[in-house]
Amino acid sequence: MTDLARPDDDRGCLRAVLALPFGVLTLIAAYFCWTAISIRPYGSWDDDAYAGIALSCAVTIAAAGSLAALWLLPSVRRVIGWVWVAPALALGIAAAVRWGISG
């Protein structure tokens, strides 16, 4: 009988509300990480391509970082598990590696 939810428990509703920013930030991180990985400079002189890679990586890391900062709030952490944050953090790590490799 202890596993029954109280009638005033609103975790399901809060999870549904928080799914929107978590989903949007993960999609933003995924798009810009894909952009950073798919940009290929023509040579060492192609400064525009390197700037695009740096910008895409910065946006990916910013989206992943803001998602992690949102998740660190105790009220959010109580409702949303770490599984919701793991894809964005993996994308942020991939973008950081790409940014480091691109020079």
Side-chain angles (χ1 to χ4, degrees), residues 2-71:
T2 60
D3 60 336
L4 295 176
R6 294 188 315 235
D8 60 346
D9 189 15
D10 63 345
R11 278 187 250 166
C13 182
L14 186 58
R15 184 175 292 134
V17 169
L18 288 172
L20 181 67
F22 273 75
V24 169
L25 285 171
T26 302
L27 287 175
I28 289 170
Y31 174 75
F32 281 102
C33 186
W34 172 79
T35 304
I37 291 172
S38 65
I39 294 175
R40 300 280 184 238
Y42 289 112
S44 61
W45 48 268
D46 196 1
D47 293 332
D48 291 335
Y50 287 113
I53 292 169
L55 179 65
S56 294
C57 290
V59 171
T60 302
I61 293 169
S66 62
L67 190 91
L70 178 65
W71 184 75

